[in-house]
Amino acid sequence: MLRRIFNLLLLAGAVLTGWTVWFSLSPVDIPAATVDFSIVPGSGLRSATRQIRDAGVDIRSWQFNLIARITRNQTGIKAGSYQI
């Protein structure tokens, strides 16, 4: 029984790792040659994600937030102006 649970957890970890790599390496669709946006000081992860989406960058919010949490970068939001 414990072996079966271990195998299922191992498989789930492998699937999550594979998805993370795939998502991280997938291109982001940008409707213009460049997109400018600003992250307001004091913004958290969800607020920053919303600001990026509002600027016209086509990202899936839940995936972006999940990757930030998995990589433990959710508190590393830097306020400022960005261009991609």
Side-chain angles (χ1 to χ4, degrees):
M1 180 70 173
L2 288 176
R3 185 177 177 102
R4 177 179 257 175
I5 292 172
F6 175 76
N7 287 340
L8 286 173
L9 289 174
L10 188 62
L11 178 62
V15 168
L16 181 60
T17 300
W19 176 82
T20 302
V21 170
W22 171 81
F23 177 74
S24 298
L25 297 176
S26 296
V28 176
D29 292 329
I30 301 174
T34 61
V35 175
D36 297 316
F37 62 93
S38 295
I39 303 297
V40 179
S43 295
L45 177 61
R46 288 185 182 180
S47 176
T49 304
R50 191 176 324 107
Q51 292 169 51
I52 295 168
R53 284 191 56 86
D54 290 347
V57 179
D58 185 27
I59 58 172
R60 292 184 184 112
S61 299
W62 70 272
Q63 290 177 338
F64 188 80
N65 293 336
L66 180 63
I67 292 296
R69 291 180 193 284
I70 289 172
T71 59
R72 298 178 186 220
N73 289 317
Q74 70 268 23
T75 59
I77 305 299
K78 303 292 183 200
S81 297
Y82 296 89
Q83 180 182 56
I84 57 173

